[in-house]
């Protein structure tokens, strides 16, 4: 068996995320029903053979909407983590390497950004560019930059001080080579952990912002939006909120396990 | 031994600032290396010995400009290196490599052995994957490690094996000078001997000169052609190793030599015990740096610092006792 698959976390995480990714991929070509088609004759129906996960207050099929919502969540999670991680790692490395004024200005700037609530950033961006899912991604992504900057700086400072860096320098390796061959690989573990946490947080944040009406606009489906619409009907048709909630939990768990597994697989001590 | 120095160090000084407040000037200076001169000749092993805190590690790193010297001159193969910029200095590293004290810390835990030992090669020329592996294999064989080590990570090896990896890395580019900073002090006794013998063998086959730094006089004596004794940032005595066991003219050297254990249990040992601690390099004593602990100290020692004076061919001592002025 492939050595990566031996890791139980990795295996479980892979299966869980594969299901979500697959559901999202399939939704581009096929969903049981049109996710946005209303059917007043079948409102608030409990799960049945025709509607596996039931229907909502407009008679829309919940399974179809959960599948379409998966696309949304995956995109938000990936895009925000990529924005935050790329910018954050670059800034953090610069701060740690140059130090002095660069460190001071980058860290104070990220304090400033960190002190600004994400929701406020999202509202600000929505106010400028209008509410949409891509603006939500940008807002959450910007909010993630200081998270990754701080982590990168803190860990990189420690790595730059270690003796194998000095050994590499004595070997004649350039500062770029040291950064890419020694510093980044040693940064990987904490970054992956942080990325999986932030991915999960992004899925929840998108849900929260859609709930506030800043993210996904009706009638489009997103897990957060579905939860928001479901809360009025929680007592008479609980399946409306159970399934999108379950989808969120499933995805978050899947990515966390996957992240743990990747980290373990990259750790030379675990092999 | 030809008389062309590979390494020529003149009056090298390294002071570290003791930080004052945030914007104020440094409060004081730690005089880690305070004016040291010596030469390492082609094919020679030069040993630098001294107790912890005497500045020998700082000196080793300053010579490679891993630490910038405060002043002084370092010539490598006749070329002044203290004023080279980073780029020029990097090019020069092809010719001088280092072996570190702690093989645990000096090997990247996330790099496979094959990449570690070929790092110097990759730093200087683009080399194909297969060539790199061949080179790595060749080096591992030279230091006595098996081929299956190539794809392992450093943690899979014992201390002695890790140090062999570190040695293989230093040999990668066939340097003309290797600086070994306490190459065996992190290893236990039986392994020390193995690694030292390996270093000795490699020195013959790879034909490099070496600067070996250690606190262990027996290691230095075993490995080196010439020995310099350091105390508080200066060299107090320098002599060929074959003269070393018999005559020491500096009281500090005498104390060091007498403290080396002998393997004969019946032989009564009477090590010279030095009183007190090594003084702080922030505030070194006036006059001879050793006078606070020296049993032979007299008036003049407290006033003026002695310089290295040649008392025999190749044997220099910095002590007033030997300058014809004291005794």
């Amino acid at each position: 068996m492939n050595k990566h698959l031996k890791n139980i976390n990795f295996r479980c995480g892979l299966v869980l995320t594969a299901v979500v990714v697959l559901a999202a991929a399939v939704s581009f070509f096929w969903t049981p029903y049109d996710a946005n088609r209303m059917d007043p004759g079948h409102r608030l129906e409990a799960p049945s053979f025709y509607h596996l996960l039931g229907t909502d207050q407009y008679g829309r099929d919940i399974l179809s909407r959960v599948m379409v919502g998966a696309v949304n969540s995956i995109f938000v999670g990936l895009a925000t983590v990529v924005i935050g991680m790329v910018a954050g790692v670059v800034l953090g490395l610069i701060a740690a390497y140059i130090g002095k004024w660069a460190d001071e200005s980058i860290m104070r700037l990220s304090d400033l950004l960190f002190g600004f609530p994400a929701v406020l950033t999202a509202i600000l961006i929505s106010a400028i560019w209008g509410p949409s899912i891509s603006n939500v991604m940008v807002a959450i992504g910007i909010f993630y930059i200081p998270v990754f900057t701080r982590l990168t700086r803190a860990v990189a400072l420690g790595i730059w001080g270690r003796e194998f860096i000095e050994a590499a320098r004595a070997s004649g390796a350039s500062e770029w080579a040291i950064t890419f061959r020694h510093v980044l690989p040693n940064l990987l573990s904490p970054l992956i952990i942080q990325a999986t946490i932030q991915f999960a947080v992004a899925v929840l944040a998108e849900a929260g912002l859609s709930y506030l009406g800043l993210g996904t606009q009706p009638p489009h489906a997103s897990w957060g939006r579905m939860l928001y619409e479901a809360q009025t009907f929680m007592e008479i048709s609980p399946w409306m909120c159970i399934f999108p909630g379950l989808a969120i939990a499933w995805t978050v768990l899947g990515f966390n396990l996957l992240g743990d597994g990747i980290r373990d697989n990259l750790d030379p001590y675990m092999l | 031994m030809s008389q062309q120095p590979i390494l020529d160090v003149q009056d090298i000084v390294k002071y570290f600032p003791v930080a004052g407040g945030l914007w104020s000037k440094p409060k004081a200076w730690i005089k880690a290396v305070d004016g040291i001169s010596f030469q390492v000749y082609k094919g020679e092993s030069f040993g630098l010995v001294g107790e912890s805190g005497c500045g020998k590690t700082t000196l080793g790193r300053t010579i490679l400009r891993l630490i910038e010297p405060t002043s002084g001159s370092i010539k490598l193969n006749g070329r002044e290196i203290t004023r080279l910029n980073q780029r020029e200095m990097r090019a020069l590293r092809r010719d001088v490599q280092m072996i570190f004290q702690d093989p645990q810390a000096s090997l990247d835990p996330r790099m496979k052995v094959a990449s570690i030992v070929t790092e110097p090669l990759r730093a200087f020329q683009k080399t194909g994957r297969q060539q790199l592996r061949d080179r790595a294999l060749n080096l591992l064989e030279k230091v006595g490690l098996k081929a299956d080590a190539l794809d392992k990570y450093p943690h899979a090896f014992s201390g002695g094996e890790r140090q062999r990896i570190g040695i293989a890395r230093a040999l990668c580019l066939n340097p003309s000078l290797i600086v070994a900073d306490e190459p065996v002090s992190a290893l236990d006794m039986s392994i020390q001997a193995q690694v030292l013998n390996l270093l000795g063998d490699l020195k013959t086959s790879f034909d490099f000169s070496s600067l070996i730094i250690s606190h262990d006089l027996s290691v230095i004596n075993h490995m080196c052609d010439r020995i310099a004794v350091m105390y508080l940032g200066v060299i107090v005595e320098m002599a060929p190793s074959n003269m070393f066991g018999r005559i020491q003219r500096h009281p500090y050297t005498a104390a060091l030599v007498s403290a080396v254990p002998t393997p004969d249990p019946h032989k009564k040992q009477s090590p010279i015990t030095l009183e007190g601690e090594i003084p702080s390099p922030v505030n070194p004593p006036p006059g001879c740096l050793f006078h606070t602990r020296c049993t032979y100290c007299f008036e003049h020692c407290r006033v003026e610092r002695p310089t290295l004076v040649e008392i025999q061919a190749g044997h220099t001592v910095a002590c007033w006792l030997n300058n014809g002025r004291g005794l």
Side-chain angles (χ1 to χ4, degrees):
Chain A
M1 189 163 36
N2 186 309
K3 70 176 184 204
H4 293 296
L5 287 178
K6 271 190 203 142
N7 185 297
I8 184 83
N9 282 341
F10 185 78
R11 224 162 39 198
C12 294
L14 198 66
V15 170
L16 289 180
T17 39
V19 169
V20 180
V21 171
L22 207 68
V26 167
S27 77
F28 283 110
F29 315 105
W30 176 85
T31 46
Y33 294 86
D34 180 347
N36 293 331
R37 193 181 60 95
M38 301 189 202
D39 184 359
H42 297 277
R43 292 164 58 221
L44 298 174
E45 262 179 22
S48 66
F49 183 72
Y50 298 102
H51 296 280
L52 284 177
L53 304 183
T55 61
D56 68 3
Q57 77 273 32
Y58 301 117
R60 296 177 294 196
D61 180 50
I62 290 180
L63 176 60
S64 307
R65 289 180 72 73
V66 167
M67 282 170 72
V68 172
V71 179
N72 227 325
S73 294
I74 290 172
F75 269 140
V76 170
L78 285 182
T80 54
V81 168
V82 166
I83 294 173
M85 189 144 88
V86 170
V89 167
V90 170
L91 286 173
L93 282 176
I94 292 174
Y97 181 65
I98 300 180
K100 287 173 264 174
W101 56 270
D103 187 17
E104 207 54 42
S105 43
I106 287 173
M107 291 329 285
R108 293 301 77 78
L109 211 69
S110 77
D111 283 349
L112 193 77
L113 211 56
F114 209 60
F116 220 67
V119 175
L120 226 55
T121 320
I123 291 174
L124 187 75
I125 289 180
S126 301
I128 299 170
W129 291 322
S132 81
I133 190 66
S134 51
N135 291 343
V136 161
M137 289 183 200
V138 172
I140 301 175
I142 289 175
F143 181 69
Y144 278 1
I145 294 175
V147 176
F148 284 99
T149 307
R150 284 177 176 194
L151 179 75
T152 306
R153 173 185 174 272
V155 181
L157 272 181
I159 298 171
W160 276 111
R162 286 176 60 186
E163 204 174 68
F164 61 80
I165 298 291
E166 200 174 26
R169 203 170 279 145
S171 294
S174 65
E175 301 295 299
W176 278 111
I178 292 174
T179 307
F180 283 101
R181 288 200 203 123
H182 296 283
V183 179
L184 276 181
N186 279 285
L187 258 172
L188 220 54
S189 288
L191 278 181
I192 288 172
I193 298 298
Q194 193 68 44
T196 51
I197 294 171
Q198 298 309 127
F199 184 94
V201 173
V203 172
L204 298 177
E206 189 274 334
L209 289 170
S210 295
Y211 182 98
L212 289 175
L214 297 170
T216 311
Q217 298 302 305
H220 299 295
S222 101
W223 294 342
R225 180 115 217 129
M226 289 169 75
L227 274 182
Y228 165 54
E229 288 169 0
Q231 73 174 343
T232 340
F233 303 95
M234 199 130 75
E235 278 165 39
I236 52 167
S237 53
W239 51 88
M240 268 182 74
C241 64
I242 286 175
F243 293 112
L246 213 58
I248 293 175
W250 177 291
T251 312
V252 168
L253 182 68
F255 273 91
N256 272 321
L257 287 175
L258 194 66
D260 273 3
I262 293 174
R263 199 243 355 228
D264 290 349
N265 283 338
L266 289 176
D267 188 347
Y269 292 90
M270 304 280 290
L271 294 178
Chain B
M1 189 189 305
S2 74
Q3 288 302 298
Q4 181 216 347
I6 294 265
L7 177 70
D8 184 1
V9 177
Q10 288 298 333
D11 270 321
I12 201 78
V13 172
K14 177 64 196 182
Y15 289 175
F16 290 105
V18 179
L22 189 52
W23 282 287
S24 63
K25 279 195 285 188
K27 262 198 256 159
W29 297 93
I30 297 170
K31 297 170 177 166
V33 176
D34 201 3
I36 278 186
S37 309
F38 64 90
Q39 288 81 35
V40 180
Y41 293 98
K42 192 159 167 37
E44 183 184 38
S45 263
F46 188 82
L48 207 56
V49 70
E51 65 194 291
S52 12
C54 74
K56 52 192 193 303
T57 296
T58 307
L59 178 63
R61 302 207 168 182
T62 309
I63 287 166
L64 292 178
R65 280 192 59 197
L66 293 173
I67 301 174
E68 291 297 322
T70 309
S71 71
S73 127
I74 303 163
K75 285 202 184 99
L76 206 65
N77 288 320
R79 192 160 169 219
E80 176 64 51
I81 66 164
T82 45
R83 273 182 291 278
L84 295 184
N85 64 28
Q86 243 191 10
R87 215 190 151 89
E88 295 165 322
M89 188 58 217
R90 209 167 78 71
L92 225 98
R93 295 193 190 283
R94 180 187 262 276
D95 222 27
V96 44
Q97 294 279 318
M98 184 155 181
I99 297 170
F100 288 82
Q101 171 172 10
D102 183 356
Q104 162 89 40
S106 63
L107 305 177
D108 186 340
R110 288 192 177 265
M111 215 181 226
K112 287 182 179 166
V113 170
S115 309
I116 292 176
V117 296
T118 53
E119 178 152 43
L121 187 58
R122 283 182 295 155
F124 290 107
Q125 60 207 57
K126 262 208 143 17
T127 319
R129 222 181 136 72
Q130 194 52 46
Q131 275 164 295
L132 283 174
R133 277 189 83 81
D134 290 346
R135 182 72 184 139
L137 201 63
N138 181 267
L139 285 165
L140 288 183
E141 194 186 309
K142 286 267 166 42
V143 298
L145 289 172
K146 293 200 192 79
D148 65 352
L150 275 183
D151 291 310
K152 288 186 184 159
Y153 290 95
H155 74 92
F157 297 89
S158 69
E161 289 169 326
R162 277 185 213 153
Q163 194 57 300
R164 285 165 193 264
I165 297 170
I167 292 171
R169 168 171 62 188
L171 289 174
C172 182
L173 290 173
N174 242 325
S176 57
L177 177 70
I178 288 185
V179 176
D181 181 14
E182 301 267 14
V184 294
S185 63
L187 311 173
D188 59 45
M189 269 321 224
S190 55
I191 310 290
Q192 284 197 0
Q194 286 177 14
V195 171
L196 287 177
N197 289 336
L198 173 71
L199 265 178
D201 295 345
L202 291 170
K203 192 170 169 333
T204 329
S205 53
F206 278 79
D207 189 31
F208 53 84
S209 314
S210 57
L211 169 62
I212 298 176
I213 299 167
S214 177
H215 67 274
D216 189 339
L217 200 52
S218 50
V219 166
I220 292 283
N221 217 354
H222 177 73
M223 296 294 294
C224 300
D225 307 314
R226 279 195 306 141
I227 299 173
V229 179
M230 257 182 99
Y231 184 77
L232 215 60
V234 299
I235 289 178
V236 294
E237 182 162 6
M238 197 157 24
S241 60
N242 53 6
M243 291 214 268
F244 215 78
R246 293 190 293 269
I247 36 161
Q248 308 90 34
R249 295 307 182 93
H250 198 284
Y252 179 62
T253 318
L256 274 188
V257 171
S258 79
V260 175
T262 39
D264 179 3
H266 301 296
K267 196 180 162 197
K268 190 128 175 78
Q269 280 196 297
S270 50
I272 304 167
T273 339
L274 291 178
E275 297 288 320
E277 286 290 307
I278 186 165
S280 158
V282 177
N283 193 13
C288 175
L289 292 170
F290 187 59
H291 85 253
T292 53
R293 301 166 79 189
C294 182
T295 42
Y296 304 103
C297 167
F298 57 97
E299 208 44 58
H300 196 64
C301 301
R302 299 193 184 90
V303 186
E304 197 183 340
R305 189 185 292 188
T307 48
L308 280 170
V309 172
E310 188 159 38
I311 55 165
Q312 253 180 306
H315 187 178
T316 52
V317 179
C319 178
W320 292 122
L321 289 174
N322 295 293
N323 282 8
R325 284 163 75 171
L327 288 176

